Amino acid sequence: MSAGSRDALVAEARTTGTLAGLPDGHFIDGAFVPPAAGRFMDSEDPGFGRPFARFAAGDAADVERAVTSAGKASRGAWRRMSPAERGRILMRAAEIVRAEAARLAVVECLDTGKRLAEAEGDVRGVARCFEYYAGACDKLQGDSLPLDADHVGLTVWEPVGVAAQIIPWNYPISTAARGIAPALAAGCTVVAKPAEQTPFTALMLADILARAGLPAGVLNVVTGTGREAGAPLVAHPGVDHITFTGSVPTGIGVIKAAADNVTRTVMELGGKSPLVVMADADRDRALDGVMEAIFENAGQICSAGSRLILQRAVADPFIEALLGRIARLRLGHGLDDATDMGPVNSALHLSRIDAHVAAARRAGNTILTGGAICHPDGCEAGHYFAPTVVLARGLDDPIVQEEVFGPVLAVTVVDDLDAAIAAANATPYALVAGIYTADLGQAFRFARAVDAGQVYINEYFAGGIEVPFGGNRKSGFGREKGLEGLRGYCKLKSIVARI
Ligand code: NAD
């Protein structure tokens, strides 16, 4: 990424409040097209609380066009193309993402509100994701089966067909890439529906893939609301697979819609992930981990470490050090390099976070810091919530049980590892879990006993695209990322011959 282009884009965004040349149509059959009904919506810059660009408000007619195009492409050129050639296209896409990283990151920063440095990290991850799956395209090999002398048996992995991607607003480009790249690598075609709060980078990704050589119809993006564009997509009989990333209530509706067509689903839902700090942990490293786990992206991360479980022997000094670090956090607009924590994504979401914390206060939990909406200088109309720590009155309190999806940390104090494990497993969610301890035996006992899709030891959010990711229980099912993510877009066929 050239520093010049980054600076120029930031300057343009600051002076005009937007960026020139953003797409405002759907991407269907290899080109940007206007919405069938001619309707548009505004996307907001949450840091300043004002609209910055318009996009297509799609509906069932646009979805129909996109699914038809994806179905045709699934049976056509894409199916016939060799896996090695598919891999070359994905690798070229990775290169273009790297070359255009500055623009993608500034757009993501404006659309989500996240800090530009975080958006730049997301975009680097997107390039790496396309690179990883580019290399996997021609390694999807099956097995030979041990039969008798008169038979030969083998298994082959085939693409599922048309894969729908329903994408949330907290990590728009990352979530789009982690679904689109393995789906394309497996030989599927895609219809993606980004969240109505953050539509632009998925459209830009589709344009990049077209320039990398992707045939028309292989990747389509329809923008619009969940009700008008998402619902017809997940209910469409031409869709063979759905990857849904979003909230539990919406996910339940999607599973029901999918059941009517017996469509396969992967569900990436919410979380209330525990982060345990034992008395023997390296305190500075654990503090770094906690700060990132709950204040990165203003806590709007499905896998945020939103429950801190502290061993009693270190609880008081750890909390004191944590509050000291929080006091130094600077809130502000994501484009400002001095900002440590940006806004939350919308006024509606801000009011939800505020309601969670107000209920916690009323219920007798102790607010140790924060606990209120705030207005950083120059960003008075933006959607900011102060970094908040709540000492929970018990494991059954909603502040421990419910996902807040904001910069709100619930603290529980326990005596020993067994109590930490019990506390970690005490919610309906099971997405990730973390532990900081100097005793690896203790760490692995925790890793085995905790119900979670992934466990982080001594570094919260450790790992990259190589590591399978997904949840259990109310956090969903199925896995994305890694080779598991690739197999999710395949169906296994067994072939047996009498010889
Ligand atoms: P949401 O469920 O409201 O929306 C998610 C997506 O679903 C959006 O694109 C939306 O337009 C679409 N949608 C809404 N109604 C739909 C319908 N009836 N049919 C089809 N699509 C529909 O979720 P949100 O509030 O935007 O996202 C926050 C939630 O997402 C949190 O609970 C968070 O934990 C979860 N999340 C999970 C992961 C993960 O990997 N597990 C990652 C990011 C976010």
Side-chain angles (χ1 to χ4, degrees):
M1 181 194 312
S2 87
S5 67
R6 179 192 198 266
D7 291 349
L9 288 159
V10 170
E12 181 187 347
R14 278 188 199 287
T15 38
T16 67
T18 186
L19 286 185
L22 290 174
D24 72 354
H26 306 300
F27 192 90
I28 299 177
D29 213 26
F32 285 110
V33 296
R39 290 184 301 118
F40 293 87
M41 301 170 70
D42 282 332
S43 190
E44 193 195 43
D45 166 355
F48 289 135
R50 66 185 184 206
F52 79 97
R54 72 169 200 171
F55 63 96
D59 59 21
D62 301 300
V63 167
E64 186 61 41
R65 232 175 123 185
V67 175
T68 302
S69 171
K72 205 166 137 232
S74 164
R75 296 180 294 275
W78 193 237
R79 193 63 185 266
R80 288 192 300 274
M81 191 180 285
S82 73
E85 184 55 26
R86 286 206 300 266
R88 278 179 215 118
I89 292 172
L90 296 194
M91 193 61 91
R92 278 198 292 276
E95 285 158 14
I96 301 174
V97 167
R98 286 205 175 96
E100 299 179 8
R103 185 172 170 77
L104 289 164
V106 172
V107 173
E108 193 79 329
C109 169
L110 286 175
D111 221 0
T112 60
K114 67 176 61 183
R115 293 185 305 119
L116 182 55
E118 288 180 40
E120 287 167 345
D122 294 354
V123 174
R124 279 195 296 278
V126 167
R128 173 72 191 119
C129 174
F130 277 97
E131 186 177 78
Y132 176 82
Y133 286 111
C137 288
D138 54 2
K139 287 148 197 97
L140 256 178
Q141 56 200 35
D143 287 324
S144 66
L145 306 172
L147 301 176
D148 58 41
D150 298 326
H151 296 87
V152 173
L154 61 131
T155 59
V156 291
W157 292 100
E158 297 184 340
V160 170
V162 176
Q165 304 283 334
I166 303 286
I167 299 163
W169 45 259
N170 59 337
Y171 282 85
I173 192 167
S174 311
T175 313
R178 84 178 183 197
I180 290 168
L184 298 183
C188 291
T189 59
V190 174
V191 180
K193 208 296 283 173
E196 52 270 43
Q197 297 86 349
T198 53
F200 292 107
T201 46
L203 291 165
M204 293 165 76
L205 212 47
D207 180 54
I208 286 172
L209 276 148
R211 285 187 277 136
L214 199 72
V218 176
L219 170 59
N220 306 274
V221 178
V222 175
T223 57
T225 64
R227 196 165 50 82
E228 290 186 306
L233 177 58
V234 297
H236 199 294
V239 167
D240 303 295
H241 170 105
I242 300 165
T243 297
F244 173 83
T245 307
S247 62
V248 175
T250 310
I252 290 170
V254 170
I255 294 169
K256 288 180 179 165
D260 285 339
N261 294 316
V262 198
T263 307
R264 305 158 46 131
T265 59
V266 167
M267 289 283 140
E268 298 282 8
L269 306 177
K272 190 76 181 181
S273 298
L275 196 171
V276 173
V277 178
M278 300 302 290
D280 63 356
D282 176 323
R283 179 167 321 159
D284 281 336
R285 194 191 265 200
L287 282 165
D288 290 347
V290 174
M291 292 295 289
E292 193 182 352
I294 189 62
F295 300 126
E296 179 91 356
N297 202 20
Q300 302 160 111
I301 310 182
C302 54
S303 51
S306 51
R307 288 191 292 139
L308 174 60
I309 299 172
L310 276 174
Q311 192 168 13
R312 195 173 306 282
V314 287
D316 288 343
F318 193 90
I319 289 172
E320 194 186 326
L322 181 64
L323 296 181
R325 288 213 185 186
I326 291 171
R328 295 196 290 278
L329 282 183
R330 290 158 304 187
L331 270 64
H333 195 279
L335 283 179
D336 183 347
D337 281 334
T339 293
D340 295 313
M341 194 180 93
V344 300
N345 184 255
S346 67
L348 175 65
H349 190 54
L350 182 65
S351 68
R352 286 190 196 129
I353 295 169
D354 196 36
H356 276 287
V357 175
R361 187 182 275 118
R362 278 196 307 276
N365 296 282
T366 309
I367 313 291
L368 297 176
T369 189
I373 290 171
C374 58
H375 305 283
D377 286 346
C379 303
E380 285 73 13
H383 316 305
Y384 296 84
F385 200 83
T388 297
V389 180
V390 182
L391 186 60
R393 55 168 192 82
L395 286 176
D396 59 344
D397 192 90
I399 203 66
V400 175
Q401 294 292 322
E402 293 174 3
E403 183 181 47
V404 175
F405 217 55
V408 178
L409 181 67
V411 180
T412 304
V413 178
V414 297
D415 288 323
D416 55 22
L417 184 69
D418 286 344
I421 291 167
N425 284 334
T427 78
Y429 294 105
L431 189 53
V432 317
I435 185 166
Y436 283 78
T437 173
D439 176 350
L440 273 185
Q442 184 161 250
F444 277 97
R445 278 199 296 284
F446 174 79
R448 282 194 174 161
V450 72
D451 190 4
Q454 41 278 307
V455 179
Y456 301 124
I457 298 172
N458 290 331
E459 187 186 323
Y460 205 82
F461 296 137
I465 188 66
E466 306 82 356
V467 183
F469 181 87
N472 304 331
R473 307 182 73 208
K474 285 268 172 64
S475 294
F477 49 83
R479 293 293 179 264
E480 295 194 271
K481 299 171 56 181
L483 294 180
E484 276 309 305
L486 183 61
R487 287 190 202 102
Y489 292 97
C490 298
K491 48 192 182 188
L492 189 67
K493 181 179 276 175
S494 303
I495 303 174
V496 181
R498 165 95 198 194
I499 56 171

